[in-house]
């Protein structure tokens, strides 16, 4: 028997009758009859489909977050509250201030991108009523406009921010059903406890484990894959934990990048800067840290910093939990030690101490919304002016995210000096035979990676990380 999907749409309770692997955009424009949200790329890149979503999971923020409807699946959003561009004006009885100012300011030409931009900016004003210009640029990083140019859009956002805040309805308090859809055809199972999740994983080894879907849902959005059975992690209470205790920051296996950002940024500001360049706010509000690591991608942006910061990954399975250093998690190109019946339950990062200096540099073709060509993360622990411990980790340089232990060994016990920098750089160059792909040639990567180490050393005086977009 098919179980419908319950959600709040623009303030009203709705029971959607679609397959749970339908994209939210397809459902909105079809069954729901709301065609304001547009399909530009169908892969989370352009923002034309942006809507606002408040998840109703345990521990999740009840704030509305901009989300790419083209790669969010209906079964993921069971019990969530959605606001589309149509809802923004209806809810306020008149146009939302951002709609008014976009119209007055000539912030739209062909208009294809406009609903997504309006939704992204309404989301910004909702979570930050007094944004500065940089906040507006950050909020727009996931929205492409090809004909207006961003200046009038940014001006409209700043003007709208000066007005009384527009109202968005309180997110609904729906309780998620244990499953939605039709067993045998397309079923999404929504466990709420870790024990239940692991039992399901063991019982259904072929089921897809779905967190934010910003990697895996592209198969549905783009390749039109059909998914018979999916297990969703976002309602599992234990996986939503984010807490500092026993000298570590613990981030649960379903915590999104946006949820983790404030605590990461307050402990490691440079890691925070990197995360603000991770996809866009739409991607970060769905995508999880665990999902990023589970893909075992050599260019995933989470691993280099986490390895340099000595993070441990906690894996839960039928036999209980085990913890290992993150660098030991990756076994090869897109492979890891994770077994079919296991999940990542948490990542633990030791909290920083005053003698530690950390930085991370992401080099990508575009500043925002682009995965790294090379990412280098470095941490020195200083004893006076000597390096007593050193961690050097790279993404984009090998088949896996890689900790360069031989280069670390050269640095330990030395002072930072031009001689040391050269010796470490030479070792880094000798260690890697980097990949050659459309993001960058092997020669380019081989030049950039050691230079990032030099930059780290030159910035030890506390110079801030600057733009590294090429
Ligand atoms: C437009 C766009 C921009 C992007 N930009 C970046 C970027 O700048 N940097 C970057 O690194 N990545 C980027 N990504 C990739 C993606 O957003 C990240 O890898 C994200 O963190 C994946 O998390 P998720 O929760 O969406 O994973 P999902 O797609 O839900 O899952 C990915 C994989 O992880 C597994 N998984 C999820 N949770 C667990 C768990 N708890 N235990 C075990 N396995 C699990 C799933 O089964 C699946 O195999 C981008 C993607 C898009 C579409
Ligand atoms: S259609 Fe381009 S991000 Fe969704
Ligand atoms: S107004 Fe045409 S793409 Fe933005």
């Amino acid at each position: 028997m098919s179980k419908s999907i319950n959600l709040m749409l623009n303030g009203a309770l709705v029971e959607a009758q679609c397959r749970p692997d339908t994209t939210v955009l397809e459902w909105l424009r079809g069954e729901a009859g709301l065609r304001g949200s547009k399909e530009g790329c169908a892969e989370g890149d352009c923002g034309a489909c942006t809507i606002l979503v408040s998840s109703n999971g345990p521990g999740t923020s009840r704030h509305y977050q901009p989300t790419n409807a083209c790669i969010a699946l209906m079964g993921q959003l069971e019990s969530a509250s959605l606001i589309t561009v149509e809802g923004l004006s209806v809810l306020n009885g008149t146009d939302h201030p951002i709609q008014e100012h976009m119209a007055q300011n000539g912030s739209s030409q062909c208009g294809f991108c406009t609903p997504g931009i309006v939704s992204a900016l309404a989301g910004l004003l909702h979570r930050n009523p007094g944004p500065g210009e940089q906040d507006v640029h950050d909020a727009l990083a996931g929205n492409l406009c090809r004909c207006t140019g961003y200046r009038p859009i940014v001006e409209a956002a700043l003007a709208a921010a000066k007005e009384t805040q527009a109202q968005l309805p309180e997110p609904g308090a729906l309780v998620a059903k244990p499953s939605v859809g039709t067993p045998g055809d397309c079923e999404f199972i929504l466990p709420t406890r870790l024990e239940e999740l692991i039992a399901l994983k063991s019982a259904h080894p072929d089921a897809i484990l779905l967190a934010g879907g910003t990697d895996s849902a592209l198969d549905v959005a783009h390749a039109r894959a059909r998914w018979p059975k999916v297990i969703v992690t976002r309602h599992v209470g234990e996986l939503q934990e984010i807490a500092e205790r026993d000298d570590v920051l613990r981030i649960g296996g379903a915590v999104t990048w946006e949820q983790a950002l404030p605590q990461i940024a307050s402990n490691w500001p440079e890691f925070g800067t990197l995360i603000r360049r991770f996809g866009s706010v739409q991607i970060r509000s769905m995508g999880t840290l665990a999902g990023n690591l589970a893909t075992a991608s050599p260019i995933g942006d989470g691993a280099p910093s986490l390895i340099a910061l000595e993070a441990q990954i906690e894996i839960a399975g039928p036999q209980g939990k085990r913890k290992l250093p993150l660098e030991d998690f990756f076994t090869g190109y897109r492979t890891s030690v994770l077994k079919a019946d296991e999940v990542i339950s948490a990542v633990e990062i030791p909290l920083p101490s005053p003698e530690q200096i950390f930085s991370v540099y992401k080099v990508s073709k575009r500043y925002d919304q682009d995965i790294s060509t090379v990412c280098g993360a470095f941490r020195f622990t200083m004893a006076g002016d000597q390096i007593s411990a050193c961690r050097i980790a790279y993404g984009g340089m090998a088949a896996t995210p890689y900790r360069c232990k031989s280069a670390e060994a050269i640095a330990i016990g030395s002072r930072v000096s031009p001689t040391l920098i050269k010796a470490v750089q030479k070792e880094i160059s000798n260690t890697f035979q980097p990949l050659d792909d459309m993001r960058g040639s092997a020669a380019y990567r081989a030049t950039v990676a050691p230079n990032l180490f030099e930059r780290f050393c030159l910035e030890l005086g506390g110079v801030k990380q600057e733009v590294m977009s090429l």
Side-chain angles (χ1 to χ4, degrees):
M1 202 182 94
S2 169
K3 277 173 265 168
S4 57
I5 297 155
N6 281 355
L7 41 82
M8 302 293 295
L9 176 64
N10 294 332
L13 177 64
V14 174
E15 284 186 32
Q17 304 300 333
C18 60
R19 286 172 61 103
D21 63 1
T22 307
T23 69
V24 174
L25 184 62
E26 196 179 338
W27 177 76
L28 283 173
R29 294 179 57 84
E31 188 181 326
L34 297 175
R35 298 193 179 83
S37 311
K38 301 288 184 266
E39 181 173 287
C41 63
E43 56 183 23
D45 263 323
C46 75
C49 63
T50 302
I51 59 167
L52 299 177
V53 174
S54 167
S55 298
N56 207 21
T60 55
S61 157
R62 284 170 63 80
H63 271 107
Y64 287 98
Q65 293 283 0
T67 301
N68 295 123
C70 67
I71 53 170
L73 302 182
M74 287 298 285
Q76 270 177 299
L77 295 196
E78 157 67 19
S79 82
S81 301
L82 276 53
I83 298 187
T84 65
V85 68
E86 294 88 350
L88 288 174
S89 44
V90 170
L91 297 168
N92 290 286
T94 172
D95 285 344
H96 187 283
I98 187 64
Q99 290 170 312
E100 255 172 48
H101 284 277
M102 291 270 295
Q104 283 165 16
N105 213 40
S107 309
S108 175
Q109 287 185 53
C110 80
F112 194 81
C113 69
T114 307
I117 286 187
V118 163
S119 298
L121 291 175
L124 170 68
L125 300 186
H126 172 66
R127 57 185 190 280
N128 176 3
E133 190 164 337
Q134 188 54 48
D135 299 316
V136 177
H137 283 290
D138 284 347
L140 288 174
N143 292 81
L144 297 181
C145 177
R146 282 293 174 254
C147 37
T148 302
Y150 288 85
R151 190 188 47 75
I153 298 172
V154 173
E155 283 170 1
L158 293 172
K162 295 204 181 99
E163 298 191 359
T164 324
Q165 212 193 345
Q167 294 302 309
L168 296 181
E170 254 313 278
L174 302 180
V175 176
K177 295 175 190 161
S179 69
V180 290
T182 312
D185 178 29
C186 176
E187 183 186 26
F188 276 41
I189 311 176
L190 314 167
T192 54
R193 289 176 305 112
L194 183 57
E195 203 185 350
E196 206 188 331
L197 172 67
I198 290 164
L200 282 164
K201 210 53 185 80
S202 301
H204 307 286
D206 296 335
I208 287 181
L209 185 72
L210 184 67
T214 61
D215 267 306
S216 35
L218 295 185
D219 283 349
V220 174
H222 236 193
R224 301 279 170 203
R226 284 302 186 214
W227 284 350
K229 197 174 285 287
V230 175
I231 304 168
V232 177
T233 62
R234 71 188 308 168
H235 298 274
V236 177
E238 294 97 319
L239 299 190
Q240 287 291 349
E241 184 186 8
I242 170 153
E244 285 178 23
R245 63 163 186 270
D246 301 332
D247 295 332
V248 298
L249 171 61
R250 185 177 163 87
I251 301 174
V255 169
T256 65
W257 285 106
E258 265 310 276
Q259 287 170 318
L261 176 56
Q263 258 161 300
I264 290 182
S266 77
N267 284 302
W268 304 279
E270 290 77 9
F271 195 6
T273 304
L274 177 97
I275 297 172
R276 285 187 202 94
R277 292 182 58 194
F278 188 113
S280 58
V281 65
Q282 288 93 326
I283 293 293
R284 298 191 299 268
S285 70
M286 290 294 279
T288 61
L289 193 146
N292 190 246
L293 299 177
T295 61
S297 163
I299 50 170
D301 275 331
S305 296
L306 292 168
I307 291 174
L309 291 171
E310 237 171 307
Q312 300 255 321
I313 189 161
E314 185 187 90
I315 295 173
Q319 269 73 50
K321 288 183 180 167
R322 58 190 174 118
K323 265 189 215 172
L324 59 154
L326 180 58
E327 58 267 33
D328 297 342
F329 176 74
F330 306 105
T331 51
Y333 181 73
R334 291 195 169 269
T335 58
S336 72
V337 300
L338 202 65
K339 298 190 193 121
D341 55 2
E342 292 182 320
V343 300
I344 299 170
S345 44
V347 171
E348 290 186 347
I349 320 173
L351 292 171
S353 60
E355 60 280 1
Q356 287 173 349
I357 305 165
F358 167 80
S359 204
V360 55
Y361 306 96
K362 167 172 173 168
V363 180
S364 55
K365 286 193 170 176
R366 279 178 62 208
Y367 184 76
D368 295 305
Q369 229 3 357
D370 200 3
I371 297 179
S372 299
T373 306
V374 180
C375 181
F378 312 98
R379 193 186 73 182
F380 283 165
T381 306
M382 303 302 292
D385 62 356
Q386 287 212 333
I387 302 163
S388 64
C390 170
R391 311 266 304 182
I392 298 178
Y394 283 102
M397 292 298 289
T400 64
Y402 193 86
R403 179 176 164 207
C404 195
K405 291 184 187 169
S406 55
E408 293 172 0
I410 293 171
I412 294 169
S414 302
R415 290 196 183 91
V416 180
S417 68
T419 315
L420 174 78
I421 293 172
K422 285 217 158 29
V424 172
Q425 283 185 301
K426 193 169 166 211
E427 184 55 33
I428 293 168
S429 299
N430 290 341
T431 302
F432 294 108
Q433 278 117 33
L435 46 150
D436 208 343
D437 67 8
M438 46 93 158
R439 294 182 195 283
S441 66
Y444 175 75
R445 287 184 159 106
T447 308
V448 168
N451 286 352
L452 293 182
F453 177 75
E454 182 175 11
R455 180 174 178 181
F456 172 65
C457 293
L458 296 178
E459 288 186 352
L460 288 178
V463 180
K464 277 262 163 217
Q465 182 180 349
E466 288 160 11
V467 176
M468 280 291 289
S469 181
L470 300 177

